[in-house]
Amino acid sequence: MIRSPARVGVAGATGAVGREMLRVLDERGLEVDLVRALASERSADRSLPFGESSLTVQELGPEGLEGLDIVLFATKPAVSREYVPVAVSKGAVAIDNSRAFRMDPGVPLVVPEVNPDAAAHHSGIIANPNCSTIQMVLVLDALHRAAGLRRVVVSTYQSVSGTGREAIEELRTQSGDVLAGRPAVSRVYAHEIAFNCLPQIDDFDERGDTLEETKMIEETRKIMGLQGLRIAATCVRVPVFRSHAMAVNVETEREIAPGEAREVLSSARGVAVLDDPEEALYPTQLAATGGDEVWVGRVRRDRSLRHGLWLWIVSDNLRKGAALNAVQIAELIVDGVSL
Amino acid sequence: MIRSPARVGVAGATGAVGREMLRVLDERGLEVDLVRALASERSADRSLPFGESSLTVQELGPEGLEGLDIVLFATKPAVSREYVPVAVSKGAVAIDNSRAFRMDPGVPLVVPEVNPDAAAHHSGIIANPNCSTIQMVLVLDALHRAAGLRRVVVSTYQSVSGTGREAIEELRTQSGDVLAGRPAVSRVYAHEIAFNCLPQIDDFDERGDTLEETKMIEETRKIMGLQGLRIAATCVRVPVFRSHAMAVNVETEREIAPGEAREVLSSARGVAVLDDPEEALYPTQLAATGGDEVWVGRVRRDRSLRHGLWLWIVSDNLRKGAALNAVQIAELIVDGVSL
């Protein structure tokens, strides 16, 4: 246990997730003694907003990682692999948002509403799951407790902010170019993302799956402690700035009517139900942006199965999908703060 | 059989699908004696491009429907319900693109590559299936013949051109407003479509399914002649101008490896395979637009099933999904023209 008030570092503080971590740290109840923004040498000495005040960025390195209790890493896997061990060797607990350590058997992979106890068994590193995994697993866990999961089939609609700030800029620039009749140039993505969907998130493996798809499958199994869970995923990038959506088809062991599923989900922590189609009430990415909830709507029977349900799940990938979940993990390991 | 050259009318000629029907009629080999563009009174006397020349729009009504062999209807269900019977009473065969007659047991629902023989058994009306159904059924039919279908789970990524010209304009206007920091106004859709996905296509029924989802299920069963086919669908509108995409999860009766599935699909009429993920080669809506093919990529195993496959299917919803399929049906019933 770390004693409150804690000394917290944010590595990769200038990126889309890093900035959101600073925002969430400022908003939440976690008492901090100091917050230090860390980034690459290139960004050192820049100023970042933090609540009413601002922080001067320090270089991410052995010196910058000195004297911290917790470091939230919003960095790419290679950077995490280099500096997470440094942070740990300096006595901090590292909460890492990259995929670098997530599937390491010695590293807990934590969604505080689902497996908070796992956070206690860390050896200096706790991994923050993939954004799509987090929002899906909150819903799946509630359904599993109520009716048992047999199989899950998910197709995602993921925003460009999952890639980072340069992808947000690419969508903005390309969209403007297309509307003006100018040719659009792709730098971040393999193809034009403006007014187009790309069935590729992260790299492909030799089986033709993307890393993102494999993450959703393997991380869900690890978080829920269900190694044999049957789950299939297709991950798609859509021309949306922020928040991820997903169509999830669930086969349960036991009968659960849509109305009962809505009740179960309404009382699940972190989950909110918005489901009145007659009034065109269902979650959308635009409406979910900036909020903390994992929204669920379009809960209905899939009549192609004996016990089948469809759900539409939407959440802000930078908040619950990344920054908020990481800060919640920090809260779990700081003395006297509970979820 | 209708004797070639045929006298062809296009009802709803000023809409997105109607204009595409004129374009396809001009491009294809169907010999025509005359082509007449029909639309509401409001559009009468307007001029529409047709090949190198142009057509003057006539009012859709008893007079305009006189003396035609075939009328392609690209009209809303209510308009089709009113004027399709008029066209038939004047001696024409009506090929209707709306949902008005599709599930009528006396009306054939035809995808020429899948069930061409059904077209012969009409009583004056042949229905053109839903855009999403057409592109999916070409692929499902090929897989069913090769390995037998057990269950299909589909999530769609549908463009705004499926709604019509005013929706294309709404996406364009809203996108410009958002990029300029102005508030966006929704007229066509229940929520903002710019940089947002809407899990609603057409109206909801009392079970919480949309008509679009029900169409995909029921029309696929009718076209394939598989009344018991287990199929589940979630239909989503995405901020893309043209072409529909879908992630399709298929369980087959017999083993079919991805490589074999690619071969089967490569030789299926109307289907083209683009599947080399290492080179970032997979179908996208932007690349499919304007073409006639139903593109398939990302063919891979779903390891959550004994015989499971994932596929990503993309096609131009205004071409094969509407205008081209309707003109192909016309070709089926005109003497001397084969697919």
Side-chain angles (χ1 to χ4, degrees):
Chain A
M1 269 306 169
I2 289 157
R3 238 176 282 142
S4 180
R7 296 162 298 173
V8 180
V10 174
T14 55
V17 172
R19 282 163 190 262
E20 201 62 37
M21 282 173 170
L22 292 175
R23 204 166 294 134
V24 174
L25 276 172
D26 176 58
E27 288 168 16
R28 304 274 303 182
L30 186 70
E31 273 193 68
V32 291
D33 197 30
L34 80 86
V35 173
R36 190 181 297 157
L38 301 159
S40 66
E41 198 189 348
R42 189 162 45 86
S43 300
D45 298 327
R46 277 180 58 186
S47 178
L48 285 177
F50 182 68
E52 303 284 281
S53 64
S54 67
L55 300 173
T56 302
V57 176
Q58 286 182 240
E59 187 183 343
L60 174 59
E63 207 177 311
L65 291 167
E66 205 79 56
L68 296 171
D69 299 308
I70 297 173
V71 185
L72 308 176
F73 279 85
T75 43
K76 292 195 192 303
V79 177
S80 291
R81 274 188 208 103
E82 183 170 357
Y83 290 108
V84 160
V86 178
V88 174
S89 75
K90 302 275 181 193
V93 175
I95 299 171
D96 182 38
N97 191 50
S98 84
R99 66 178 152 80
F101 301 98
R102 287 181 192 151
M103 295 312 296
D104 186 326
V107 173
L109 183 66
V110 177
V111 177
E113 294 87 345
V114 177
N115 62 340
D117 297 346
H121 307 290
H122 69 81
S123 311
I125 310 175
I126 302 176
N128 204 41
N130 168 268
C131 44
S132 300
T133 307
I134 293 175
Q135 68 183 73
M136 181 173 68
V137 88
L138 247 68
V139 172
L140 291 186
D141 182 61
L143 291 177
H144 182 64
R145 286 169 203 272
L149 293 181
R150 274 181 69 90
R151 181 167 173 249
V152 178
V153 180
V154 54
S155 298
T156 70
Y157 302 71
Q158 295 181 234
S159 67
V160 297
S161 58
T163 311
R165 292 180 64 209
E166 68 287 7
I168 297 173
E169 202 41 50
E170 179 146 309
L171 174 59
R172 196 185 308 276
T173 307
Q174 282 188 357
S175 300
D177 286 341
V178 170
L179 292 176
R182 290 187 297 263
V185 181
S186 299
R187 290 187 184 87
V188 176
Y189 295 115
H191 304 274
E192 237 173 279
I193 184 65
F195 307 108
N196 202 20
C197 297
L198 304 179
Q200 174 179 6
I201 296 188
D202 213 328
D203 293 331
F204 287 98
D205 67 19
E206 66 291 346
R207 285 189 296 240
D209 295 316
T210 59
L211 290 185
E212 184 82 357
E213 289 154 359
T214 302
K215 284 179 236 167
M216 283 192 80
I217 294 169
E218 293 183 349
E219 295 181 18
T220 298
R221 288 176 177 155
K222 178 168 175 175
I223 297 162
M224 296 183 70
L226 297 172
Q227 276 318 306
L229 180 64
R230 294 162 65 207
I231 172 167
T234 288
C235 292
V236 179
R237 190 72 70 191
V238 295
V240 167
F241 286 110
R242 193 161 156 172
S243 297
H244 292 348
M246 48 188 65
V248 182
N249 186 281
V250 176
E251 181 175 8
T252 56
E253 295 283 352
R254 296 178 295 283
E255 163 68 11
I256 180 165
E260 191 188 343
R262 272 180 223 111
E263 275 174 39
V264 163
L265 293 168
S266 296
S267 56
R269 267 203 299 193
V271 179
V273 174
L274 178 69
D275 195 8
D276 189 356
E278 295 272 309
E279 303 293 324
L281 290 178
Y282 38 71
T284 70
Q285 284 145 298
L286 222 47
T289 293
D292 289 346
E293 297 85 354
V294 171
W295 292 98
V296 187
R298 301 223 54 211
V299 182
R300 64 200 196 279
R301 256 184 223 287
D302 163 9
R303 280 163 293 135
S304 80
L305 290 171
R306 189 147 159 256
H307 302 316
L309 280 182
W310 269 117
L311 309 111
W312 174 252
I313 306 175
V314 184
S315 191
D316 187 330
N317 57 304
L318 298 182
R319 302 276 303 186
K320 183 57 186 168
L324 172 62
N325 199 73
V327 173
Q328 286 175 314
I329 294 172
E331 291 169 356
L332 275 180
I333 59 170
V334 171
D335 189 5
V337 180
S338 65
L339 184 62
Chain B
M1 270 303 170
I2 290 159
R3 239 177 280 142
S4 179
R7 296 161 298 171
V8 179
V10 173
T14 56
V17 173
R19 282 164 190 263
E20 202 61 37
M21 283 174 171
L22 292 175
R23 205 167 293 135
V24 174
L25 275 172
D26 176 57
E27 288 168 18
R28 305 274 302 182
L30 186 69
E31 272 193 67
V32 290
D33 196 30
L34 78 87
V35 172
R36 190 181 296 159
L38 299 160
S40 66
E41 197 189 345
R42 190 163 43 85
S43 299
D45 298 327
R46 278 180 58 186
S47 179
L48 285 177
F50 182 66
E52 302 285 278
S53 65
S54 67
L55 299 172
T56 302
V57 176
Q58 287 182 239
E59 187 183 343
L60 174 59
E63 207 178 312
L65 292 167
E66 205 81 55
L68 296 171
D69 299 308
I70 296 174
V71 184
L72 308 176
F73 279 85
T75 43
K76 292 196 192 303
V79 176
S80 291
R81 275 188 207 103
E82 185 171 355
Y83 291 107
V84 161
V86 177
V88 174
S89 75
K90 303 274 182 193
V93 175
I95 299 171
D96 182 39
N97 191 50
S98 83
R99 66 177 150 82
F101 301 98
R102 287 180 192 150
M103 295 312 296
D104 186 326
V107 173
L109 183 66
V110 177
V111 176
E113 294 87 347
V114 177
N115 62 340
D117 297 346
H121 306 291
H122 71 81
S123 312
I125 310 175
I126 301 175
N128 203 41
N130 169 268
C131 44
S132 300
T133 306
I134 292 175
Q135 69 182 71
M136 180 173 69
V137 87
L138 248 67
V139 173
L140 292 186
D141 181 62
L143 292 176
H144 182 63
R145 286 169 202 271
L149 293 180
R150 274 181 69 90
R151 182 169 171 249
V152 178
V153 180
V154 54
S155 298
T156 70
Y157 303 69
Q158 296 181 236
S159 67
V160 298
S161 58
T163 310
R165 294 179 62 208
E166 69 286 7
I168 296 173
E169 202 40 52
E170 179 147 310
L171 174 58
R172 194 186 309 275
T173 307
Q174 283 187 357
S175 299
D177 287 341
V178 169
L179 292 175
R182 291 186 297 264
V185 181
S186 299
R187 289 187 185 90
V188 175
Y189 294 116
H191 305 274
E192 237 173 279
I193 183 66
F195 307 109
N196 201 21
C197 298
L198 306 180
Q200 174 180 6
I201 297 189
D202 213 327
D203 293 331
F204 287 99
D205 67 18
E206 67 289 348
R207 285 188 295 239
D209 295 316
T210 59
L211 291 186
E212 186 82 356
E213 288 153 2
T214 302
K215 281 179 239 169
M216 283 192 80
I217 295 168
E218 293 183 348
E219 295 181 19
T220 298
R221 289 175 177 156
K222 179 169 175 176
I223 297 162
M224 296 184 71
L226 297 172
Q227 277 317 307
L229 180 65
R230 293 162 66 208
I231 172 166
T234 288
C235 292
V236 180
R237 189 72 70 191
V238 295
V240 168
F241 286 111
R242 193 159 156 173
S243 296
H244 292 348
M246 48 189 65
V248 182
N249 186 280
V250 175
E251 181 176 8
T252 56
E253 294 283 353
R254 297 179 294 282
E255 163 69 11
I256 179 165
E260 191 188 343
R262 270 179 224 112
E263 275 174 40
V264 162
L265 292 169
S266 296
S267 56
R269 268 203 299 193
V271 179
V273 174
L274 178 69
D275 195 10
D276 188 356
E278 294 273 308
E279 301 294 325
L281 290 179
Y282 38 71
T284 70
Q285 284 146 299
L286 222 47
T289 293
D292 289 346
E293 297 84 356
V294 171
W295 291 99
V296 187
R298 300 222 56 210
V299 182
R300 63 201 198 279
R301 256 184 224 286
D302 163 9
R303 281 163 292 135
S304 79
L305 290 171
R306 187 143 163 261
H307 302 317
L309 281 181
W310 269 118
L311 310 112
W312 174 251
I313 305 174
V314 183
S315 191
D316 186 330
N317 57 304
L318 299 183
R319 303 277 301 186
K320 183 57 187 168
L324 172 61
N325 199 74
V327 173
Q328 286 175 314
I329 294 173
E331 291 168 356
L332 276 181
I333 58 170
V334 171
D335 187 7
V337 180
S338 66
L339 185 62

